[in-house]
Amino acid sequence: MDSSSWIHGYTNANAAGNNGFMCGYSASCSPAGEYYFQDREQQQQLLVSSQMQHHLNQISMHMSMDDEPAAVYGGAPSNGARSMVDDLLIGSSSAHHAASSFPSSSSSSSFRSPSVSCSPESCVAHVLAVPAAATGFQYPEVSSQAPLCLAPLLPYEAPQHGHYTGLPLTELPATGGGAFRRYARHLGPRRPPKPGACGQRMFKTAMSVLAKMNMAMKCSRQYYYQQAVSAAPPAGNQLQHMISERKRREKLNDSFVALKAVLPPGSKVWYSTRTNKTSILIRAREYVKSLESKLSELEEKNRALEAQLASRTAVAKDEDYETAATDQASEKAQDLVEIEVTSGGAGAAAAEAEAGEESTETCTLNVAVTTPPSRAMSTTDVVLRTLQCLREQIGDGASLVAMSTSAASGGRPPRANLTLQLKEEMRPKSLHETWRRTIVMTMAEARTVATTASLDEYYDRANCTEEEEDGTTVDDAEEKRMTAEGRWEDKAAAKVVAGALPPGPSSDAAALALQRRTIIITSRCCFEEVSSVV
Amino acid sequence: MDSSSWIHGYTNANAAGNNGFMCGYSASCSPAGEYYFQDREQQQQLLVSSQMQHHLNQISMHMSMDDEPAAVYGGAPSNGARSMVDDLLIGSSSAHHAASSFPSSSSSSSFRSPSVSCSPESCVAHVLAVPAAATGFQYPEVSSQAPLCLAPLLPYEAPQHGHYTGLPLTELPATGGGAFRRYARHLGPRRPPKPGACGQRMFKTAMSVLAKMNMAMKCSRQYYYQQAVSAAPPAGNQLQHMISERKRREKLNDSFVALKAVLPPGSKVWYSTRTNKTSILIRAREYVKSLESKLSELEEKNRALEAQLASRTAVAKDEDYETAATDQASEKAQDLVEIEVTSGGAGAAAAEAEAGEESTETCTLNVAVTTPPSRAMSTTDVVLRTLQCLREQIGDGASLVAMSTSAASGGRPPRANLTLQLKEEMRPKSLHETWRRTIVMTMAEARTVATTASLDEYYDRANCTEEEEDGTTVDDAEEKRMTAEGRWEDKAAAKVVAGALPPGPSSDAAALALQRRTIIITSRCCFEEVSSVV
DNA sequence: ACGTACACGTGAATC
DNA sequence: TGATTCACGTGTACG
């Protein structure tokens, strides 16, 4: 084992590597004289740190190629320092000892480089043919024949796969917007200057280049004659495969951005620079579902409107309420607004302190729009409707203290927090009763207007809870769900059509429910008449 | 260069390989005696063709490991044939010559195998530490110590990443439906019987196993002592990375199928067994666009229907408006609400940052009730009415972000702060125009209902500003005062009765007024009908 | 045999 | 620094 041995292990680490010298793409073999590196912009040689150049020189010297170092990596001067290679050799003077430690570090000692290689057409077709040739490395005494040996490989750069075989990349502008434009970033300097940060990469690059050179040399030396014909077809297949895969990836990514373009810009998917494909998929699904639900809802509304219009022409205006009520009842499952009532929360303490130490309690309503954010159901509408419902049903018992809303973000619907100040007779315990009383009252009133199945159903339940009103407070211990519907022009106030949940066990959930109860309010906002004014 | 040389190149081909021995997953190191191969079902050794076994034996003999061939690959008999290896060696008797031809064939000579390796916990952590150790290959005379050397690696199989570290795969059922279920297919026989087709894969598998073994041996031999501690953390990172990547892929694929589930089953996406992710994306985009177009179309139809319906009802209730409007006009001097519009305030910055860096601006409205706090004009009512006015006059151009109210204290009337987020077309500059336009429109409408002195006065001023609407933006530089009145039941929208201030000098106050303008809105809230319900 | 599609592990970049 | 995402080349399966 001589010094060529570790270079050899070296080269092998690249040879079978994932992104090794086999199929790289960025720094292509220029047809001109600067082999492997083109002098476009201030290319790699400007980014190669002095340390890297040491290694390059070291390696090239090991490869006996230092007679033409300038031609190898773009004219960088060879200064003969051997710091890192020597560092790799310390601890053991055995050659393969040092070699064995090379790829062990995941971040700095892996010599693969996806960004530098021959053009695939040339290097893959020929270097791939003899990928493990370096394992033997029987001829370390390589001279400047290397460029000469690469010369016959260059004709393979001719594109043969449509515009995707701009892979030689000498034809691709660095900022080209066409296919495979993503690969153009490997052409220029890897980053804006940022000196000293690309040393490892440059090292890998250099190693890859040198390994490739070594390959090519061996190829041209003595084994080229026999492997060029036998192994060329599989190499071409590999190349084709790689190109196809690139094409496929590009198509997939384009589809991703195309899909993202049609999604509503309501989420942080759009605000982040990175695309996060999973979020795109999830949001696309949500959006599709929301669109479908909205569409069905609108379809139903449309159908009801048409029916209403048809009936309007026939009979008098007495049926207006009837149809309007039934129209609403049919939509009560949609436009759900979930209102969570939390009494005496931590956030309410500040508001209460600001309002003075009265004997009133604060009650926070967390209003979350469960319907997808749409034009007809914006946060303003929901807040407006909620306030109206509160005003209608509680009256002066509660007064608004503070409010905050958060726009829809991250797929979550917009939220609104209302902090109310309840009057003495409106403590949370009695608030619930107030709700129920309001419901019953409006029920009684609504019954005079329209009677539907759901109304009757609720009335049965309301009667059921009414008998609890006498002594027990069981109803406070359970969550109640109610639906309130109303129209602006409907002076008969909200018509509660859905009933409360059946009373559960009264003792266990009592403490919890005293602090938090959830009420579902179906709030249909009819702003059409108002909006038409603007 | 002896015979170990090409095995050595061999091993390197796997060592730096993509799916090499480093992080494979399917055939895990069983804690029992059969190292690398578990005897679940009719595992690999039953699928290993005789030819493959030849190669295995050949290689194992080269590795001087044929003293325990049964233990290595599951008890398959060693028959000593060397067909393929010898085939690889024909044409040249040089060892590295043959080695160099190995990975050149794309379909049959690549020795990577994603499906066979140690369990990641064991092999990655320790084999990765010395990946290129085989390059030296100083000790080809390996004996049955190999299994012994792997024994200490097995404790690393303990899962440490939730259920995803079922990677040892001895815990994963082959048909499990949970996470990473995809990897379970590598456990069983690679295919349903299909004899003779999996020879290449088996060969790769065997090569990978042998390379791994070689690694492990070398690891345990002499280099283990020095690399185990220094390179163990990167190995753990590598494993973590691999697991994270698997998790990410799984999530992405789940999102794909979830998205596919909501797509209409009308296309070939559903008929093909393969998923074709690109088609999913494209079809999702098409579906979203079709849904959107359908939705807008239906919305327009709905709007037309409702307009038709409203026009039909309007004729029936004309008298109501007339009487209500005159009733209002007599009270217009009372219940004044002053609304101060401040755009781009400091307090709005936080709210804007929370809502994301959209191109929208925030606009703070300070609503102060100038009337003494009375029962009929509580803060809730004012906020309600103000929101309603905003909704009527701006529509969807503004959405409520935050709000805070302060109760009446110290003789000061109650105040309310509304923070709005304005859409792009609702910048303060155009907001002002919107206000004015709204005023003009509602003015024109209010004139048909009731005519008062203040109305006429405003109208004169409105005409004065109307001519500015054409070209100049002078009106943006001045403060405007307007009063809006409305009733809930008044579908004719708010009637603006107060006029704008006389236009002052346009240049001096321009910068100030661009940031702050005050609008006086007289908001009469008529909650009597609603309140009487409670 | 050929083309397409997917999963995989890994390096690099970003947060 | 650690976690997460993406691009990449490759192996493999399917038509």
Side-chain angles (χ1 to χ4, degrees):
Chain A
M1 285 299 175
D2 54 11
S3 65
S4 72
S5 175
W6 65 268
I7 288 183
H8 147 205
Y10 230 127
T11 308
N12 287 329
N14 271 316
N18 189 3
N19 309 326
F21 63 90
M22 299 166 66
C23 299
Y25 44 83
S26 75
S28 68
C29 292
S30 155
E34 58 272 27
Y35 324 96
Y36 305 103
F37 282 139
Q38 312 163 26
D39 60 350
R40 58 169 66 242
E41 293 155 7
Q42 69 277 37
Q43 194 124 11
Q44 270 89 345
Q45 71 269 23
L46 293 185
L47 292 172
V48 172
S49 66
S50 61
Q51 192 190 17
M52 290 306 106
Q53 291 185 358
H54 300 172
H55 307 144
L56 284 174
N57 294 332
Q58 174 71 25
I59 292 151
S60 63
M61 286 168 70
H62 272 273
M63 296 169 76
S64 303
M65 288 180 63
D66 41 1
D67 47 354
E68 268 199 15
V72 171
Y73 42 95
S78 162
N79 48 23
R82 307 190 175 193
S83 60
M84 185 169 167
V85 173
D86 291 338
D87 290 342
L88 289 170
L89 287 170
I90 62 170
S92 167
S93 60
S94 167
H96 31 292
H97 196 170
S100 67
S101 68
F102 269 1
S104 61
S105 169
S106 67
S107 65
S108 66
S109 299
S110 171
F111 299 110
R112 305 176 191 172
S113 171
S115 59
V116 171
S117 82
C118 282
S119 92
E121 292 286 349
S122 62
C123 293
V124 170
H126 295 266
V127 179
L128 251 189
V130 285
T135 57
F137 203 77
Q138 217 170 7
Y139 298 89
E141 58 283 355
V142 189
S143 67
S144 61
Q145 287 180 347
L148 294 177
C149 86
L150 283 175
L153 307 180
L154 293 172
Y156 284 84
E157 278 189 340
Q160 71 183 21
H161 292 103
H163 70 293
Y164 276 112
T165 47
L167 286 175
L169 290 183
T170 54
E171 311 164 1
L172 273 184
T175 58
F180 280 23
R181 85 192 79 86
R182 238 182 311 281
Y183 308 102
R185 71 182 166 96
H186 298 285
L187 272 178
R190 301 294 302 186
R191 296 192 195 182
K194 212 178 197 176
C198 53
Q200 299 173 5
R201 185 168 194 122
M202 280 307 103
F203 189 33
K204 297 173 199 173
T205 290
M207 289 316 299
S208 174
V209 166
L210 289 174
K212 204 168 36 188
M213 235 175 184
N214 184 15
M215 275 311 138
M217 279 184 295
K218 303 205 76 56
C219 164
S220 70
R221 267 282 175 163
Q222 63 179 2
Y223 304 124
Y224 183 75
Y225 64 95
Q226 67 173 2
Q227 298 289 349
V229 286
S230 67
N237 289 342
Q238 236 1 47
L239 171 64
Q240 189 84 7
H241 181 30
M242 186 189 68
I243 292 175
S244 300
E245 181 65 17
R246 284 187 193 175
K247 221 188 295 193
R248 175 186 158 269
R249 271 197 303 261
E250 175 126 322
K251 198 165 63 177
L252 198 90
N253 284 322
D254 289 347
S255 304
F256 260 112
V257 298
L259 175 60
K260 192 175 68 170
V262 300
L263 292 183
S267 171
K268 56 180 173 298
V269 174
W270 282 77
Y271 303 144
S272 70
T273 57
R274 288 182 89 87
T275 51
N276 205 341
K277 306 183 177 179
T278 310
S279 304
I280 294 178
L281 295 180
I282 293 175
R283 275 179 43 73
R285 190 181 115 99
E286 290 175 355
Y287 189 49
V288 163
K289 284 171 78 176
S290 81
L291 279 182
E292 279 175 340
S293 72
K294 206 189 299 183
L295 195 66
S296 69
E297 165 194 355
L298 208 59
E299 233 165 50
E300 185 162 3
K301 195 162 135 193
N302 212 330
R303 207 173 320 129
L305 269 173
E306 283 180 6
Q308 192 175 355
L309 199 62
S311 70
R312 188 69 61 102
T313 57
V315 290
K317 61 191 169 199
D318 265 354
E319 291 84 10
D320 291 351
Y321 298 111
E322 188 94 18
T323 53
T326 54
D327 169 36
Q328 276 170 217
S330 65
E331 291 176 328
K332 73 177 181 334
Q334 298 147 12
D335 279 342
L336 277 180
V337 179
E338 178 172 325
I339 300 183
E340 183 180 14
V341 182
T342 310
S343 62
E352 193 169 26
E354 172 198 343
E357 50 276 25
E358 301 177 86
S359 63
T360 58
E361 280 194 34
T362 58
C363 166
T364 304
L365 283 86
N366 295 317
V367 184
V369 195
T370 55
T371 49
S374 65
R375 187 201 63 81
M377 205 62 178
S378 69
T379 310
T380 311
D381 297 349
V382 173
V383 168
L384 201 46
R385 182 63 193 135
T386 305
L387 285 176
Q388 187 184 0
C389 281
L390 278 173
R391 196 62 184 79
E392 290 169 359
Q393 296 173 358
I394 302 189
D396 290 315
S399 64
L400 193 61
V401 170
M403 203 197 81
S404 70
T405 63
S406 64
S409 66
R412 287 300 87 196
R415 283 192 159 270
N417 278 329
L418 301 176
T419 301
L420 300 178
Q421 198 158 25
L422 302 178
K423 288 219 173 62
E424 292 76 24
E425 69 273 14
M426 285 295 169
R427 297 299 167 80
K429 214 174 147 193
S430 60
L431 172 66
H432 201 208
E433 285 200 1
T434 303
W435 274 100
R436 185 156 49 77
R437 187 156 39 87
T438 305
I439 289 164
V440 173
M441 285 181 64
T442 52
M443 260 303 301
E445 191 162 5
R447 275 184 98 219
T448 68
V449 177
T451 302
T452 65
S454 57
L455 277 176
D456 287 332
E457 180 186 352
Y458 169 73
Y459 198 57
D460 294 336
R461 304 205 185 209
N463 285 335
C464 164
T465 59
E466 197 145 24
E467 58 199 5
E468 294 168 355
E469 197 175 359
D470 309 331
T472 71
T473 56
V474 192
D475 48 348
D476 284 333
E478 36 142 345
E479 285 192 347
K480 283 196 177 295
R481 287 177 176 268
M482 56 195 79
T483 20
E485 292 186 358
R487 298 177 71 94
W488 283 57
E489 66 273 23
D490 194 354
K491 296 187 201 63
K495 286 170 289 300
V496 183
V497 289
L501 286 177
S506 60
S507 55
D508 47 5
L512 178 79
L514 269 177
Q515 291 187 342
R516 170 176 300 224
R517 46 182 70 90
T518 304
I519 303 168
I520 301 288
I521 295 184
T522 299
S523 145
R524 270 202 77 252
C525 301
C526 300
F527 291 103
E528 287 80 13
E529 295 84 2
V530 182
S531 300
S532 63
V533 174
V534 184
Chain B
M1 285 299 178
D2 52 12
S3 65
S4 71
S5 175
W6 65 268
I7 288 184
H8 151 200
Y10 226 130
T11 308
N12 288 330
N14 271 317
N18 191 2
N19 309 327
F21 64 89
M22 299 164 68
C23 298
Y25 43 82
S26 76
S28 67
C29 293
S30 155
E34 59 273 25
Y35 324 95
Y36 304 104
F37 281 139
Q38 312 164 26
D39 59 350
R40 59 168 66 243
E41 294 155 7
Q42 69 279 34
Q43 194 123 11
Q44 269 89 345
Q45 71 267 23
L46 293 184
L47 292 172
V48 172
S49 66
S50 62
Q51 191 191 18
M52 289 307 106
Q53 290 185 0
H54 300 174
H55 309 324
L56 283 175
N57 294 332
Q58 175 69 27
I59 292 153
S60 64
M61 286 168 71
H62 272 274
M63 296 168 76
S64 303
M65 288 180 63
D66 40 3
D67 45 356
E68 268 200 14
V72 170
Y73 42 95
S78 161
N79 49 22
R82 308 189 174 194
S83 60
M84 184 169 168
V85 172
D86 290 339
D87 288 342
L88 289 170
L89 287 171
I90 63 170
S92 168
S93 58
S94 167
H96 30 293
H97 195 171
S100 67
S101 69
F102 269 1
S104 61
S105 169
S106 67
S107 63
S108 65
S109 298
S110 172
F111 299 110
R112 304 176 190 173
S113 170
S115 57
V116 171
S117 83
C118 283
S119 91
E121 292 285 350
S122 62
C123 292
V124 171
H126 294 266
V127 179
L128 249 190
V130 284
T135 57
F137 202 78
Q138 219 171 6
Y139 298 89
E141 57 284 355
V142 190
S143 67
S144 61
Q145 288 179 347
L148 294 176
C149 87
L150 283 176
L153 306 182
L154 293 173
Y156 283 84
E157 276 191 341
Q160 71 183 21
H161 293 101
H163 72 294
Y164 276 112
T165 48
L167 286 175
L169 289 183
T170 53
E171 310 164 0
L172 272 184
T175 59
F180 281 25
R181 83 192 82 84
R182 237 181 311 282
Y183 307 102
R185 72 181 165 95
H186 298 285
L187 273 177
R190 300 295 302 191
R191 295 191 197 181
K194 212 176 195 178
C198 53
Q200 299 171 5
R201 188 179 188 112
M202 278 308 103
F203 186 34
K204 297 172 198 172
T205 290
M207 290 315 300
S208 174
V209 165
L210 288 174
K212 203 168 38 187
M213 234 173 182
N214 185 15
M215 272 314 137
M217 281 184 293
K218 304 209 73 56
C219 163
S220 70
R221 268 282 175 164
Q222 64 177 4
Y223 303 127
Y224 182 76
Y225 65 95
Q226 67 174 3
Q227 299 289 349
V229 286
S230 66
N237 288 343
Q238 217 33 23
L239 170 64
Q240 187 85 6
H241 182 30
M242 187 189 67
I243 293 175
S244 301
E245 182 65 16
R246 285 187 191 175
K247 222 187 292 193
R248 173 185 160 270
R249 272 197 301 261
E250 175 125 322
K251 199 165 63 176
L252 198 91
N253 284 321
D254 289 348
S255 303
F256 260 111
V257 298
L259 175 60
K260 191 176 69 170
V262 301
L263 292 183
S267 170
K268 56 185 174 302
V269 175
W270 281 77
Y271 301 145
S272 72
T273 58
R274 287 181 92 84
T275 52
N276 208 340
K277 306 183 179 182
T278 310
S279 303
I280 293 178
L281 294 180
I282 293 174
R283 277 181 38 75
R285 189 180 117 100
E286 290 173 355
Y287 188 49
V288 162
K289 284 171 78 176
S290 79
L291 277 182
E292 277 176 341
S293 70
K294 209 186 297 181
L295 196 66
S296 68
E297 168 190 356
L298 206 59
E299 225 165 58
E300 180 150 7
K301 197 163 115 188
N302 213 327
R303 201 160 28 231
L305 268 174
E306 278 183 17
Q308 195 175 351
L309 202 61
S311 69
R312 215 168 283 221
T313 58
V315 290
K317 301 184 178 180
D318 257 352
E319 315 83 42
D320 298 343
Y321 301 144
E322 195 84 23
T323 56
T326 53
D327 174 38
Q328 264 173 230
S330 63
E331 294 176 311
K332 72 178 181 338
Q334 302 149 8
D335 285 340
L336 278 178
V337 178
E338 176 174 335
I339 299 182
E340 181 180 8
V341 182
T342 311
S343 63
E352 192 170 27
E354 172 197 344
E357 51 274 28
E358 298 177 272
S359 62
T360 60
E361 285 195 25
T362 57
C363 165
T364 304
L365 282 87
N366 294 316
V367 184
V369 193
T370 56
T371 49
S374 64
R375 189 202 64 79
M377 205 59 178
S378 70
T379 311
T380 310
D381 298 347
V382 172
V383 169
L384 200 47
R385 182 62 194 136
T386 306
L387 284 177
Q388 187 184 1
C389 282
L390 278 173
R391 194 65 182 75
E392 291 168 357
Q393 296 173 357
I394 304 190
D396 289 314
S399 63
L400 194 61
V401 170
M403 202 198 81
S404 69
T405 62
S406 63
S409 63
R412 286 299 87 197
R415 283 191 158 268
N417 278 330
L418 301 177
T419 302
L420 301 178
Q421 196 158 24
L422 303 178
K423 289 217 173 63
E424 291 76 24
E425 69 272 14
M426 284 298 168
R427 297 300 170 79
K429 218 173 142 190
S430 61
L431 172 67
H432 204 206
E433 283 203 2
T434 303
W435 275 100
R436 184 158 49 79
R437 188 155 37 87
T438 305
I439 289 165
V440 172
M441 284 181 64
T442 52
M443 261 304 300
E445 191 162 8
R447 276 183 98 220
T448 70
V449 177
T451 302
T452 65
S454 58
L455 276 177
D456 286 334
E457 180 186 353
Y458 169 73
Y459 197 56
D460 294 336
R461 306 208 183 207
N463 284 336
C464 162
T465 59
E466 197 143 25
E467 57 199 6
E468 294 169 353
E469 197 172 359
D470 308 331
T472 71
T473 57
V474 192
D475 48 346
D476 286 331
E478 37 142 345
E479 288 191 343
K480 283 193 177 295
R481 289 182 172 269
M482 58 196 80
T483 5
E485 290 187 359
R487 297 178 70 93
W488 282 55
E489 65 275 20
D490 192 357
K491 297 191 199 59
K495 286 168 288 300
V496 182
V497 289
L501 285 178
S506 61
S507 56
D508 48 4
L512 177 78
L514 269 177
Q515 291 186 341
R516 169 176 300 224
R517 46 181 69 91
T518 304
I519 302 169
I520 301 290
I521 295 184
T522 299
S523 149
R524 270 206 79 254
C525 301
C526 300
F527 291 102
E528 288 78 18
E529 296 85 359
V530 181
S531 300
S532 64
V533 174
V534 183

